[in-house]
Amino acid sequence: MLTAVASLALAALATATVAAGAYLLRDLGPLPPRYSGPPLPRETVVSEMTAILAAEGITVEREPSGGIRTCHERLSGQHAPETVQAALKAAFERARSERGWQTGPDLGGDVLTLKKNNWTVTSGFASTPPAGLPAMVIVSMTCIDGDTTTAPTAPSAPAVAPAPASS
């Protein structure tokens, strides 16, 4: 009798576990995208940020990226230490008001962030340079889910053509 009750209890437990597991594993459809809007090509983002910074008197150059499919770009330059913070803040405000960028995640401290579609742009305020030297300006741009909009695609395997039929 005790064995029958234990078997019945185990069967009920197994049925409940399967039912709960099926509920947890049900298909809810695709995940929502991690960003809104179409993905932006890296060239668009680099040229846009370079122009925005130039409008505020900050001249930057694009640093070489690590590879074709990397999703990171970096602009660097120098600016007068007395006005670098105000110029960076004005450039980020210009990006929001004129180019549709939005305030990015709060990284705390003196870090400015912007986001637009699949890109996030960050820049911080470096420590005060020694007297007589310009302040460094570094703007980092990172995309979400890889930048597939400008990377060349290579075939994964060579195409195989059928051999001509022999007569």
Side-chain angles (χ1 to χ4, degrees):
M1 173 80 174
L2 185 60
T3 309
V5 172
S7 295
L8 204 55
L10 283 174
L13 180 61
T15 302
T17 302
V18 168
Y23 175 76
L24 292 174
L25 295 176
R26 73 187 187 280
D27 185 8
L28 298 176
L31 291 172
R34 297 189 322 173
Y35 56 90
S36 62
L40 295 174
R42 84 174 56 221
E43 297 304 322
T44 300
V45 175
V46 168
S47 65
E48 190 169 289
M49 290 310 299
T50 301
I52 290 167
L53 292 164
E56 296 301 330
I58 302 172
T59 303
V60 291
E61 292 183 9
R62 182 181 191 175
E63 293 183 6
S65 58
I68 291 176
R69 290 204 179 256
T70 60
C71 197
H72 181 77
E73 290 290 335
R74 190 167 138 166
L75 303 173
S76 64
Q78 299 176 342
H79 193 72
E82 306 81 37
T83 59
V84 69
Q85 288 187 6
L88 271 173
K89 286 179 182 177
F92 275 59
E93 181 55 39
R94 180 182 296 267
R96 283 189 291 273
S97 64
E98 295 178 11
R99 303 287 182 115
W101 287 83
Q102 298 173 349
T103 301
D106 183 9
L107 301 178
D110 292 331
V111 179
L112 301 171
T113 60
L114 294 171
K115 65 179 181 170
K116 183 175 184 182
N117 297 15
N118 59 322
W119 286 87
T120 301
V121 175
T122 60
S123 185
F125 303 123
S127 60
T128 306
L133 293 178
M136 285 296 303
V137 174
I138 297 174
V139 177
S140 294
M141 298 167 283
T142 307
C143 71
I144 298 171
D145 295 335
D147 180 20
T148 59
T149 56
T150 59
T153 57
S156 57
V160 178
S166 55
S167 337

